[in-house]
Amino acid sequence: MRRALVRRAAQHFRSLCSKPAPPGEGPNHRAIMSLDADTIRPYVQPNAFVAPSASVIGSVVINDKSAIMYGAVIRGDLALIQIGALTVIGENSVLTAGAVDGMMTPSDAVSTGLALEPELWVGDYCLIGAGVTLKGCHLMGDNIVGHCSSVAEGATLGRYAILEPGTSVGEGVSIPEGEVWGGSPAQKVRDVTDDEKLQMRQGAERRYSTTASHAYEFLPVGFGYLEKEALEKTDAAVASK
């Protein structure tokens, strides 16, 4: 009798593990979210990738072949944020722009017909590491920002500028083109080599090809991926006969 109960319990446990749990009743996360009754919408190029657990909110522009990785937050509720082409925003990084006091919000600009200049600009061919904080700064392009670094308001990174992991760039600091900076506060470490400049462009292309496989696996609605996997298994079984 005891063995039969144990056997039935094991079968029940295996049946539970063979199927994913149904969706919970928690908040319905949206990776791309509009504001102000859908008047302030993010613009994401069709060939860009936004991970399902990322948050792209409000006045944000994401250009060709760029990727917003898992857990990243790009919050354009107070000012425009623009991401260039072939740029990767790493896991759990946070990009914000604008201040509550004395700052025209995107909804104000739309209602008055004013054009917005991006307050936070990340140029083309940039690699932003994991856990990075960018606020109201400008990255001119071909930049690498190491993991867990921060760049404050009004700071500028010239082309081919690199920040080592854990670097802290203060307000209004201007980092010249082709220099490597590190530390807290940030200081120049050395010049960028020609090989490093070449690798930035080549690395951007490789990163995009990697994120394409992530985009293929992502289905935006519910548990639709289960049906996709079942169809793939059926097709494979038919092909093997």
Side-chain angles (χ1 to χ4, degrees):
M1 180 68 177
R2 180 181 175 84
R3 290 181 179 177
L5 288 174
V6 171
R7 187 166 53 252
R8 284 199 297 271
Q11 291 172 347
H12 178 65
F13 178 75
R14 283 195 295 271
S15 69
L16 291 176
C17 293
S18 64
K19 299 179 181 179
E25 297 180 356
N28 183 17
H29 174 76
R30 287 175 289 170
I32 299 174
M33 188 174 74
S34 301
L35 297 174
D36 294 340
D38 205 33
T39 59
I40 308 300
R41 303 179 184 179
Y43 177 77
V44 181
Q45 285 284 2
N47 59 2
F49 171 69
V50 177
S53 60
S55 296
V56 177
I57 304 166
S59 186
V60 178
V61 176
I62 300 174
N63 282 294
D64 292 319
K65 298 183 178 181
S66 286
I68 314 302
M69 301 307 290
Y70 302 91
V73 176
I74 303 180
R75 190 166 60 83
D77 55 345
L78 298 175
L80 175 62
I81 296 175
Q82 189 157 339
I83 310 296
L86 283 160
T87 285
V88 176
I89 308 299
E91 290 81 356
N92 298 316
S93 290
V94 178
L95 281 63
T96 59
V100 175
D101 297 328
M103 185 68 192
M104 178 174 285
T105 66
S107 58
D108 294 333
V110 169
S111 64
T112 57
L114 297 177
L116 279 172
E117 289 293 330
E119 184 171 317
L120 173 57
W121 162 252
V122 180
D124 302 337
Y125 298 100
C126 289
L127 174 59
I128 310 302
V132 169
T133 301
L134 304 179
K135 185 172 183 181
C137 54
H138 281 216
L139 280 62
M140 304 312 294
D142 294 279
N143 300 119
I144 296 176
V145 178
H147 303 313
C148 300
S149 295
S150 63
V151 184
E153 296 94 332
T156 302
L157 272 64
R159 287 195 63 200
Y160 298 113
I162 296 176
L163 299 184
E164 293 183 337
T167 301
S168 179
V169 180
E171 293 185 13
V173 174
S174 181
I175 296 179
E177 177 178 331
E179 293 186 359
V180 179
W181 284 45
S184 180
Q187 296 180 347
K188 181 180 177 180
V189 176
R190 59 178 176 82
D191 291 327
V192 176
T193 66
D194 291 337
D195 286 342
E196 286 174 325
K197 292 179 181 180
L198 180 61
Q199 289 170 6
M200 288 182 191
R201 293 288 177 102
Q202 294 174 342
E205 295 286 354
R206 288 195 300 269
R207 292 193 301 270
Y208 175 71
S209 63
T210 300
T211 57
S213 63
H214 290 250
Y216 172 75
E217 290 296 332
F218 170 48
L219 291 178
V221 180
F223 278 74
Y225 71 92
L226 293 176
E227 297 181 14
K228 169 178 171 288
E229 291 175 354
L231 287 172
E232 288 175 343
K233 290 180 180 179
T234 302
D235 292 342
V238 171
S240 64
K241 291 182 179 180

